[in-house]
Amino acid sequence: MLDACAQLLDEIGYEALSTTRIAERAGVAIGSVYQFFPDKRAITQELTRRNVEEFVRRVDRRFLEEDLRGWWEAVDAIIDIYVDMHRTVAGFKSLRFGDAVDLNLLDSDSDNNAVIAGRLRGLFLKEFGLADSPALDLAVLVAVEAGDAVLKLAFRRDPQGSPEIIDAAKHLIRGFLSRQLRSWSPAAAAAKDPAGEPAGEPVGESAGGPAVEPVRESAGGPVGEPVAGQ
């Protein structure tokens, strides 16, 4: 039934979707649908949860299988996975993480992007040893919201996702998170001089965790990309 729902969402959209159409596509009696789901919203809610679990599973597997040099490469990997699912997973481009139907589809108390940010925050804490704090919560939430907006633009411009805009999303999020992490991470604190001022050197590896991505400076301000060789 979830597969039938996903196919129909891509074909006719949420407004035209109905439990009757889902039952017909799945080849089951309408009573079988109502045995598990009271309405089409409940079915799309479960499909969205399945998509979220698949997304997190793919991210987790990528982190385990690839030797990522730091969280900035993880950002690129996460965006690549999102783009691939948008292109290849039935129903994902129509629902994404549920916001196309309801901003609170995943959780009645938190909006969908906040749920995704929480899951990604957990992966970052586990894989890259970042210090847990309200500041990290906020930084990841803002990054998810910003990335979501720019990636929507990428798929409005091109059904397969504009490569230029997808690349811009990576630069935007890496730059934002780099500035945030440099401002409050344990490694950044250790890089301050005795007077409490920044020592002026890129933050490197420390006992507290991996290196924080250095940011190149230009006449116009932080560029937000890893320095060559980092």
Side-chain angles (χ1 to χ4, degrees):
M1 285 184 278
L2 294 181
D3 290 341
C5 178
Q7 295 165 10
L8 288 167
L9 281 167
D10 286 345
E11 294 172 13
I12 62 176
Y14 182 75
E15 291 303 318
L17 186 70
S18 68
T19 52
T20 300
R21 283 178 163 165
I22 293 171
E24 290 173 351
R25 178 61 62 91
V28 299
I30 188 67
S32 297
V33 174
Y34 288 129
Q35 183 179 356
F36 297 99
F37 305 105
D39 51 34
K40 70 176 185 178
R41 185 184 186 281
I43 302 175
T44 54
Q45 185 177 45
E46 189 59 31
L47 177 60
T48 301
R49 290 195 180 106
R50 186 175 78 172
N51 286 344
V52 169
E53 292 306 318
E54 175 63 13
F55 174 74
V56 173
R57 186 188 67 79
R58 291 188 185 195
V59 171
D60 201 22
R61 185 175 64 189
R62 185 87 169 261
F63 285 6
L64 289 172
E65 292 179 353
E66 293 190 15
D67 186 20
L68 300 175
R69 294 179 297 169
W71 63 263
W72 52 93
E73 288 193 349
V75 167
D76 288 2
I78 290 168
I79 291 176
D80 288 342
I81 290 166
Y82 178 95
V83 169
D84 181 65
M85 288 186 66
H86 200 290
R87 291 169 175 165
T88 63
V89 175
F92 189 83
K93 68 181 180 182
S94 301
L95 285 177
R96 296 183 294 276
F97 293 127
D99 56 294
V101 175
D102 184 338
L103 290 176
N104 293 92
L105 191 64
L106 292 171
D107 188 317
S108 59
D109 296 322
S110 301
D111 65 49
N112 302 326
N113 279 347
V115 174
I116 297 302
R119 297 295 296 272
L120 292 178
R121 168 187 159 281
L123 290 174
F124 275 107
L125 290 172
K126 181 177 73 171
E127 296 296 330
F128 300 106
L130 301 180
D132 193 8
S133 71
L136 179 63
D137 291 348
L138 180 61
V140 175
L141 177 59
V142 172
V144 168
E145 290 284 357
D148 180 56
V150 178
L151 291 172
K152 284 177 182 174
L153 173 62
F155 284 97
R156 287 201 303 271
R157 289 289 182 87
D158 181 340
Q160 291 299 305
S162 164
E164 295 81 8
I165 297 177
I166 291 169
D167 189 53
K170 294 177 179 179
H171 284 264
L172 174 71
I173 296 170
R174 288 199 309 259
F176 169 73
L177 286 178
S178 176
R179 289 186 289 274
Q180 295 302 306
L181 292 175
R182 283 172 65 85
S183 69
W184 53 259
S185 71
K192 290 185 177 181
D193 66 18
E197 296 299 326
E201 296 293 328
V203 179
E205 294 260 336
S206 73
V212 174
E213 177 195 22
V215 177
R216 230 178 26 217
E217 297 287 335
S218 70
V223 177
E225 291 210 46
V227 174
Q230 294 293 322

